[in-house]
Amino acid sequence: METNVLKRIFFDEHGHWERFVAKHKGKLRPNVLKEVEKFRKCGDPRNGFKLLVCEGCHDLRLVPYRCKGRFCTTCSCGETEEWARLLEQDVFQVNHRHVVFTIDERLREVFLLHRGKLLKAFMDEAVRVVKAYFEKKHKVTPGIIAGLHTFGARMKFNPHVHMLVTMGGMKKNGEWKTYDFVPFEMLRKQWQTVVLKLIRRKLSVREKKQVQSRLQKAYSENGEGFYVYAPKQKGNVKRQLGYIGRYMRRPAIAVSRIEAYDGETVTFRYRDKTDGEEKTETIPVEEFIGRLIRHIPNENFKTIRYYGVYSRRIKSLCKKRVSEWQKAARRWIVKAKRILKRRTWSERVQEQTGKPPCCPKCESYYEYKGEACLEDGQLKVKYAVCSTSKACLERMIRDVTGVQETKGGQEKEKAAERAA
């Protein structure tokens, strides 16, 4: 399938998204409308673009701005890869466990209806269960990075917490202690109690009455507690971190999983965890859109959070203490004063292909010549390296927007080209 199949599903000639909004008007969260609109405009040069020129054959390349939205699969894919790359270099180079905390399926709808009250506390409580064990049993502070997923394989609402947990932690003097055993079976019952108490604490009296039967069944029919999954990780530490990092930040559905779209229905692949088989499901477009947009988080809600020695508030101090200890212990798990920075688009392409972005016609390199962006709703030249580049950008703006410039403006462009 073509890469923009998700845009076709939402915005093609059938007008599925417009019909969906009209039908469910008043029920959609404001941030859902905002993020879907950003997704619609993503990659549209009418919202801004950069100009690259081949230094050999002078081929022009227009690179449109991206939305960097939380719903856009194109943007989230690149952001996820970059976040995972920075993560694997920034954390302590020790073994980590990928821990997953789940809930009873009867409680999923409770979290969906009260997401604003429950989801942040849900993440905090899951971390507190693990952190409390390390602090009480081993007198150390672990490093924990938690990510909230609200989706399952079939995109139905299924909130659960993924955690990247250091197998060990830092003592008050900076010494690092390693522990490979955590009694996750014992933590299951604690986790069940914590979740049920959380719901009762956050909901009003009337809301608690509505879900009381669900809470009782979730307790009585899960004798061993809610499921906690924590397999031992094997292999290279950096490779572990990269894989888990990408998994924690992944979108609700990858475009590659969408098998077919016929204007009325969508067919997508998923892996059934009950038998491990890969299956397909075909559903109406309206249901597909409904399943997908419910996983857009509320505005400013952080789906990735850092705790313990990875907490942004104390991470630098913890790294400093561990760095001082490791000099004496001669164990190198922290690289002090390491400066990490995000890669540019050109650097990412070069790392993947072994060379910078090059022209398909003559294989020469592209040079950045300037860019245009929106100002007060109009596309204007933001920066140009020279008068020729500026004239070229202005011509591209007219081509993109379909707005013809005045005769005086055209004469200025020709004068600039002659001067160049």
Side-chain angles (χ1 to χ4, degrees):
M1 297 289 292
E2 58 208 48
T3 55
N4 66 345
V5 63
L6 204 56
K7 275 195 174 181
R8 285 181 52 219
I9 293 170
F10 272 73
F11 311 119
D12 68 4
E13 67 276 8
H14 295 93
H16 292 298
W17 175 242
E18 285 74 16
R19 292 212 308 257
F20 189 91
V21 172
K23 183 176 179 179
H24 301 280
K25 194 174 183 179
K27 297 180 182 178
L28 298 175
R29 291 173 289 135
N31 201 47
V32 169
L33 299 172
K34 177 183 173 182
E35 290 294 329
V36 174
E37 192 58 30
K38 284 168 65 176
F39 172 57
R40 183 204 293 266
K41 295 177 179 178
C42 184
D44 187 341
R46 289 174 294 183
N47 297 306
F49 59 86
K50 294 181 180 180
L51 172 64
L52 304 180
V53 180
C54 173
E55 61 184 10
C57 67
H58 305 296
D59 178 57
L60 302 180
R61 181 166 182 176
L62 183 152
V63 181
Y65 287 167
R66 289 291 174 182
C67 68
K68 294 183 171 58
R70 307 176 82 174
F71 180 67
C72 179
T73 50
T74 303
C75 294
S76 62
C77 181
E79 286 293 305
T80 297
E81 286 290 333
E82 189 63 11
W83 181 80
R85 184 189 71 87
L86 293 173
L87 175 73
E88 68 186 38
Q89 297 180 56
D90 192 37
V91 298
F92 292 88
Q93 297 302 301
V94 298
N95 282 330
H96 290 68
R97 281 275 189 98
H98 180 196
V99 185
V100 186
F101 277 67
T102 67
I103 59 173
D104 184 273
E105 62 182 16
R106 299 175 188 83
L107 302 181
R108 294 172 185 174
E109 189 174 347
V110 178
F111 278 84
L112 176 60
L113 294 174
H114 305 284
R115 62 191 304 158
K117 294 181 180 180
L118 296 175
L119 290 182
K120 163 65 167 62
F122 180 62
M123 295 178 70
D124 291 341
E125 292 292 342
V127 170
R128 189 176 63 80
V129 168
V130 176
K131 194 164 172 278
Y133 167 77
F134 277 90
E135 291 173 345
K136 184 177 180 180
K137 181 73 175 178
H138 302 297
K139 305 295 187 291
V140 297
T141 302
I144 302 174
I145 301 173
L148 176 70
H149 281 187
T150 58
F151 49 86
R154 297 171 61 198
M155 295 185 295
K156 293 188 176 182
F157 199 80
N158 175 17
H160 53 284
V161 180
H162 291 265
M163 281 187 274
L164 188 64
V165 184
T166 57
M167 284 296 94
M170 186 191 77
K171 297 173 72 174
K172 289 184 177 180
N173 63 356
E175 180 182 354
W176 187 268
K177 283 289 185 181
T178 300
Y179 299 98
D180 196 35
F181 173 73
V182 180
F184 290 107
E185 292 296 324
M186 180 193 77
L187 298 180
R188 288 182 58 176
K189 199 65 182 175
Q190 291 184 27
W191 172 234
Q192 180 189 44
T193 303
V194 162
V195 171
L196 297 177
K197 283 185 175 180
L198 168 67
I199 294 172
R200 290 192 173 97
R201 187 171 71 247
K202 291 290 184 179
L203 268 54
S204 67
V205 175
R206 183 177 62 83
E207 290 167 342
K208 279 188 282 190
K209 285 182 179 179
Q210 294 173 344
V211 301
Q212 184 60 35
S213 61
R214 291 174 183 259
L215 300 182
Q216 288 176 341
K217 287 182 179 179
Y219 177 77
S220 61
E221 297 183 17
N222 290 278
E224 296 180 355
F226 294 159
Y227 188 61
V228 177
Y229 181 62
K232 285 192 175 183
Q233 306 298 317
K234 297 180 181 179
N236 181 275
V237 170
K238 275 196 173 185
R239 195 169 296 169
Q240 290 175 20
L241 294 170
Y243 167 74
I244 298 170
R246 285 189 294 274
Y247 190 87
M248 287 173 66
R249 278 284 295 258
R250 70 188 179 95
I253 188 170
V255 172
S256 59
R257 283 176 54 199
I258 300 175
E259 293 277 308
Y261 164 61
D262 62 6
E264 296 299 328
T265 61
V266 180
T267 301
F268 63 92
R269 293 194 320 273
Y270 71 94
R271 185 168 295 279
D272 191 337
K273 292 188 177 179
T274 57
D275 56 16
E277 296 288 325
E278 190 170 86
K279 300 177 181 179
T280 61
E281 183 175 3
T282 300
I283 57 177
V285 172
E286 182 180 345
E287 184 180 347
F288 178 82
I289 291 176
R291 286 194 196 182
L292 205 53
I293 63 171
R294 66 179 51 179
H295 305 300
I296 298 175
N298 289 344
E299 191 160 16
N300 299 322
F301 183 88
K302 295 179 175 61
T303 56
I304 300 288
R305 298 176 187 270
Y306 302 81
Y307 303 84
V309 296
Y310 290 153
S311 168
R312 296 188 187 279
R313 195 166 42 85
I314 62 169
K315 182 170 71 172
S316 297
L317 177 62
C318 292
K319 280 194 171 186
K320 183 179 178 181
R321 287 185 178 176
V322 174
S323 295
E324 292 170 354
W325 165 78
Q326 68 184 4
K327 289 176 184 176
R330 304 188 70 80
R331 287 182 57 200
W332 308 106
I333 63 175
V334 176
K335 294 184 178 179
K337 296 182 180 178
R338 185 168 191 180
I339 299 174
L340 300 175
K341 66 175 185 176
R342 297 176 66 86
R343 296 173 301 179
T344 63
W345 167 75
S346 179
E347 289 170 339
R348 291 201 299 270
V349 172
Q350 185 164 1
E351 186 167 309
Q352 291 169 2
T353 63
K355 57 183 179 180
C358 60
C359 175
K361 298 177 182 178
C362 67
E363 296 191 350
S364 297
Y365 295 147
Y366 280 101
E367 291 182 322
Y368 170 77
K369 292 295 184 180
E371 56 191 285
C373 66
L374 287 176
E375 288 184 18
D376 300 323
Q378 288 189 325
L379 200 56
K380 296 181 180 179
V381 176
K382 178 183 177 183
Y383 171 76
V385 298
C386 62
S387 58
T388 305
S389 300
K390 184 177 180 182
C392 184
L393 282 163
E394 288 172 345
R395 187 170 64 249
M396 283 185 157
I397 289 172
R398 292 198 302 274
D399 292 340
V400 165
T401 60
V403 176
Q404 294 298 319
E405 206 172 67
T406 62
K407 185 178 179 181
Q410 293 173 352
E411 289 174 354
K412 286 180 183 178
E413 181 187 327
K414 290 178 181 177
E417 290 178 348
R418 286 196 296 271

